[in-house]
């Protein structure tokens, strides 16, 4: 059984990781691997601890196992954004988790007699500096509009790291990629990732819809828009439905569409960044997710609404806040559990009691 697993890992997985070379984003070409689904993720040890946390590693294990177990065999190209300090550990984490997933798959195949379809996989590592270079003005504009109050919690200081502001500018760095899907690592797939890739075919590209994102399944933006809604009674922004805000844990970027969209690129100008955020009267606390949400209010045509089943979040945080308890279900209900395609284990949950903090601890 072990020998069979090793053979599959070496011969069938075709995992292209050699000397952990950092590749320039412009050197990654769609035409080189046209049959691959391109997936992006971040692996950076932003707290500069001795090693990546065990929880982060466990999250990657669960996500990769779910992707591979549901695979129909379509080749996958993972683009991992990292840095010089983290790249070797990132490579090791991915190599270990994929080897583990394949071995478990072989064992399950033996027990269930189900056909095992391990896809060909390629891993490409990109230095975050190669993405931030040339985008400093945009990143600084975003940071200058970020709520400094979030630094009161050590768990929120990460939202001042450059990696949380890169989504809007991927298209002008990965200039030879047509499209990719960017994933948080706290996801569990319950379907073939090819179904998610197929959502690109639903984009209204001639109409300028270049980004696919699902709703934030909480009244988070109802809360953030308090001042704006007070000054603009009757607004739909923050209401449950089309304008409840985005969650970018699963985001589809049609990069070629974005490069050709003059309207979108105008919004990247630093003065436009600041004026958009000022208009809606709250400071950023969740990096580029907040900016995408505000841009979706301002110009909905730029976005394809991704079904909530492709980003079904489990956080119950707002259900514990008295002010939002009565409306939470209007934002949170998505589909029946068996209809979820991708579960997103964000925040606290999936039970309310997971969100209760000891008395005296800041909520």
């Amino acid at each position: 059984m072990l020998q069979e697993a090793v053979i599959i890992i070496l011969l069938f997985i075709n995992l292209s990781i050699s000397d952990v070379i950092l590749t320039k984003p412009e050197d990654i070409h769609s035409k080189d691997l046209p049959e691959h689904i391109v997936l992006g993720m971040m692996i950076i040890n932003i707290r500069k601890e001795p090693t990546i946390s065990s929880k982060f590693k466990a999250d990657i294990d669960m996500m990769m196992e779910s992707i591979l177990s549901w695979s129909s065999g379509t080749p996958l190209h993972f683009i991992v954004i990292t840095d010089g300090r983290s790249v070797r550990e990132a490579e090791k984490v991915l190599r270990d988790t994929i080897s583990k997933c394949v071995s478990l798959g072989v064992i399950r195949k033996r027990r269930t007699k189900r056909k095992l379809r391990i896809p060909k996989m390629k891993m490409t590592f990109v230095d975050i500096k190669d993405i931030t270079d040339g985008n400093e003005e945009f990143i600084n504009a975003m940071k200058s509009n970020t709520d400094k109050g979030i630094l009161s919690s050590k768990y929120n200081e990460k939202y001042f790291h450059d990696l949380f502001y890169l989504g809007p500018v991927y298209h002008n760095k990965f200039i030879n990629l047509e499209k990719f899907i960017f994933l948080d690592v706290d996801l569990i797939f319950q379907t073939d990732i090819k179904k998610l890739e197929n959502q690109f075919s639903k984009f209204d590209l001639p109409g300028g819809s270049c980004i696919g994102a699902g709703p934030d399944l909480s009244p988070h933006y109802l809360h953030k828009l308090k001042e704006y809604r007070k000054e603009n009674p009757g607004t739909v922004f923050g209401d449950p439905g089309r304008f409840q805000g985005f969650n970018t844990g699963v985001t589809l970027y049609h990069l070629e569409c974005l490069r050709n969209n003059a309207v979108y690129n105008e919004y990247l100008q630093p003065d436009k960044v600041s004026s958009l955020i000022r208009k809606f009267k709250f400071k950023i606390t969740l990096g580029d997710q907040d900016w995408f949400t505000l841009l979706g209010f301002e110009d909905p045509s730029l976005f394809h609404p991704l079904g909530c089943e492709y980003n079904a979040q489990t956080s119950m945080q707002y259900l514990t806040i008295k002010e939002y308890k009565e409306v939470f279900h209007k934002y949170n209900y998505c589909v029946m559990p068996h209809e979820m395609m991708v579960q997103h284990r964000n925040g606290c949950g999936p039970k309310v009691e997971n969100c209760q903090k000891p008395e005296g601890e800041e909520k």
Side-chain angles (χ1 to χ4, degrees), residues 42 46 128 142 156-168 184 284 286-289:
M42 294 264 191
I46 59 177
I128 189 172
M142 292 284 279
N156 289 333
E157 62 187 17
K158 63 183 181 181
Y159 290 113
F160 272 90
H161 193 285
D162 288 348
L163 69 87
F164 285 96
Y165 303 94
L166 298 183
D184 281 1
I284 288 174
L286 295 177
D288 54 30
Q289 174 177 302

Side-chain angles (χ1 to χ4, degrees), residues 11-38:
L11 297 182
F12 295 100
I13 194 170
N14 192 23
L15 182 60
S16 303
I17 305 178
S18 51
D19 299 323
V20 202
I21 297 169
L22 286 166
T23 302
K24 297 288 186 181
E26 63 269 23
D27 291 337
I28 305 172
H29 292 254
S30 292
K31 63 181 178 61
D32 292 340
L33 297 167
E35 74 282 11
H36 285 60
I37 295 174
V38 186

Side-chain angles (χ1 to χ4, degrees), residues 105-121:
V106 171
I107 294 170
R108 288 172 184 159
K109 178 195 172 188
R110 287 277 188 108
R111 291 175 178 170
T112 65
K113 305 300 182 184
R114 187 168 69 90
K115 188 174 182 180
L116 182 66
R117 295 184 176 179
I118 299 298
K120 291 182 180 180
M121 282 179 278

